[in-house]
Each structure stands twice: as structure tokens, then as C-alpha cells.
Amino acid sequence: MAFELADLPYAYDALAPYMSAETLEYHHDKHHQTYVTKGNDLVKGTEFEGKSIEEVVKGSFGKDAGIFNNVAQHYNHTHFWKWMKAGGGGKSLPEKLAKAIESDLGGYDKFREDFIAAGAAQFGSGWAWVAVKDGKLEIMKTPNGENPLVHGGTPILGVDVWEHSYYIDYRNKRPDYLAAFVDSLINWEYVEELYEAAS
């Protein structure tokens, strides 16, 4: 079963002014499509052909960099588009998720500060995450296409800090992009859905 690029769950201009149509057109239609195309080509004829995306990500990590990089990035981006919505972000969290953030991450304000700091501190390309690990929420950062799946966790929120995710709109101001993501874009309902599935 080949991997496929799904349509965005909103119009290209839906996230403006926090993420522009131009960014989404390049990031989704070009960058994400490339990961899908290359990932499919590389998986053909290997032990990973026909396996689920999670199985390929976990199984190829540390064994086949080409497969891992492309398939992990496909996994990451498939969720990334769903982690955003128009009118998202801010402190209006579903109750169960808000309680977990309070108990595990020190409350919303501490989460916001630490999540933005993780993304800003990731040297070069990578991601910042909230993951469920050992039954608790944890903020993580990873280089390149790595994600919590290969570090014993299950991601429930992630933000892409590769430059192609923000450079058109924010140039080199990564912290501004991260603040806009948290304050105005996060789809908390999707985060809650993943949290409940991982709990």
C-alpha cells in the first residue's frame, strides 16, 4: 500500500496571516509531496513494503536513513496539517487535556514557554513536540525528521522548525513563528483526540 499525500484540511489561505497560502503551497504541495514520492520509491522491494507508516518509521530508524527520513517526514507532516486550524491556539483547551498539561507540564503558561523554547533551541532543522511518554506528557525536540515514536513516546502535538515552514512569512524570526503557532493556530481538539488515543 503506497503512501499518499492527503489534501489540506482547509483552504490554502485559511491560516493567514499566521501562515500564508504561499507557505502552504510550497510546504504541502512541494516539500511534503517530495517526501511521499521518495518514500514510496525507497520502500519498494524492501522489508518495509506494505507496512504501516508507524512500523516503517520505527523499523527504519538507525537502519536505513533514506527510508526513515522521507517516511518519518511524511508521518510528521500528515499530523502537522491537522495540528493547525483557523481560529486555533490560545488557552481554550479541552478539559482533560488542560488537566494533563497542568499536572505534567506545570500549566498552560509554562507549557507555552517551554514548547516555544524547545522549538527555538533546536539547532538547524527539526521539530518540537508534546508527547505521551511513560503515561505522562513531555516536551521534546528532535533533529531533522526524528519524532517521539523513535524515542519511546507518542506525539500528540508537533511544530515543524525547518526553515521552509516559516521563512516566507517570518524570515529568520523562528520564535515569532512559534508564538503564532501556539497562540493562533493549534487545533486543540485534534491534540486531545491523539492524547486520548495514547492514554
Side-chain angles (χ1 to χ4, degrees):
M1 185 178 72
F3 300 123
E4 294 181 358
L5 178 65
D7 292 338
L8 287 173
Y10 32 72
Y12 286 96
D13 61 357
L15 304 183
Y18 309 106
M19 187 173 287
S20 65
E22 184 181 5
T23 288
L24 286 171
E25 285 163 2
Y26 273 97
H27 197 175
H28 176 270
D29 297 3
K30 304 227 182 310
H31 290 283
H32 191 175
Q33 180 64 66
T34 299
Y35 298 134
V36 173
T37 302
K38 284 187 177 176
N40 282 328
D41 288 345
L42 291 168
V43 164
K44 277 180 197 165
T46 71
E47 64 183 293
F48 303 112
E49 190 170 12
K51 291 190 174 178
S52 73
I53 191 168
E54 292 85 358
E55 288 174 316
V56 177
V57 169
K58 291 177 182 178
S60 64
F61 182 60
K63 293 180 184 173
D64 190 312
I67 289 176
F68 175 78
N69 289 336
N70 286 283
V71 177
Q73 282 288 68
H74 174 42
Y75 173 92
N76 297 347
H77 284 83
T78 296
H79 288 291
F80 182 56
W81 312 128
K82 297 176 187 176
W83 278 320
M84 298 184 287
K85 70 173 186 176
K91 296 185 177 184
S92 298
L93 279 65
E95 186 179 356
K96 185 176 178 184
L97 187 62
K99 285 182 178 176
I101 286 174
E102 184 69 40
S103 63
D104 298 346
L105 301 179
Y108 177 84
D109 291 340
K110 184 80 164 66
F111 146 76
R112 182 186 184 279
E113 178 185 345
D114 292 349
F115 186 74
I116 290 172
Q122 174 54 46
F123 183 75
S125 301
W127 293 74
W129 307 94
V130 176
V132 176
K133 187 173 181 182
D134 300 325
K136 289 191 170 184
L137 296 184
E138 183 177 314
I139 292 173
M140 308 169 72
K141 62 185 175 74
T142 59
N144 302 316
E146 287 184 30
N147 62 47
L149 289 178
V150 299
H151 297 289
T154 302
I156 65 166
L157 175 64
V159 63
D160 187 349
V161 296
W162 287 59
E163 282 193 341
H164 61 234
S165 190
Y166 62 88
Y167 205 81
I168 289 170
D169 301 319
Y170 298 90
R171 295 299 185 250
N172 64 334
K173 295 177 181 174
R174 188 191 285 184
D176 291 358
Y177 155 69
L178 291 164
F181 178 85
V182 174
D183 295 341
S184 304
L185 291 176
I186 294 175
N187 180 353
W188 286 117
E189 289 71 31
Y190 186 60
V191 178
E192 182 188 41
E193 183 184 320
L194 295 178
Y195 174 62
E196 291 192 336
S199 300

